[in-house]
Amino acid sequence: GRSQPIPKTSIIIPSSMPSHHQQKDRHHEIANALRPSYASQTPLLLQNMHANCDAIHFWKSFQYWRVAVGEDAPVEVEVGKSYNSGNRVTMRFGEYLEYLSLCMIDQEGT
């Protein structure tokens, strides 16, 4: 597949488990680092995020999202070449997951 450009801003998450106090401080550090990218709507690379986050396993699973959200739940999807430049359409969440699945297959084939 094609490699994506690496965002200019990145946060490296340590792979060792810090103490509760260190985790709280780290959460504030991460939140402060996220704010500028969120405000400007620019990409941010979170390195080693998977090291301490069990949720990543679930977030990668379309089956998880099907159960968590529901196949028939209506969702608003922005269709266009870049964020906020396209049209918003409403579709069922299951249809959106199918679209993402097809995009992944297409990227693997190129």
Side-chain angles (χ1 to χ4, degrees):
R2 269 182 256 142
S3 63
Q4 298 294 321
I6 296 176
K8 292 179 182 177
T9 306
S10 67
I11 299 173
I12 298 176
I13 311 296
S15 58
S16 62
M17 284 298 283
S19 70
H20 176 71
H21 181 70
Q22 288 170 325
Q23 280 182 323
K24 188 176 178 182
D25 288 344
R26 186 68 177 149
H27 290 171
H28 287 291
E29 181 183 343
I30 292 169
N32 288 333
L34 290 172
R35 282 187 182 93
S37 291
Y38 178 78
S40 64
Q41 293 293 294
T42 57
L44 176 68
L45 177 63
L46 299 174
Q47 297 180 18
N48 294 333
M49 179 76 169
H50 65 282
N52 295 323
C53 187
D54 291 338
I56 294 294
H57 168 74
F58 296 108
W59 295 343
K60 289 182 177 181
S61 166
F62 285 174
Q63 185 58 32
Y64 166 79
W65 289 110
R66 280 186 179 88
V67 171
V69 176
E71 290 272 334
D72 294 324
V75 294
E76 194 172 87
V77 177
E78 195 159 327
V79 180
K81 292 186 178 193
S82 64
Y83 180 74
N84 250 356
S85 69
N87 296 320
R88 291 179 182 236
V89 296
T90 302
M91 63 177 64
R92 294 180 320 110
F93 189 65
E95 292 172 321
Y96 180 64
L97 290 177
E98 182 63 26
Y99 166 76
L100 291 178
S101 176
L102 292 172
C103 288
M104 290 174 66
I105 291 169
D106 186 47
Q107 283 184 349
E108 290 171 1
T110 56

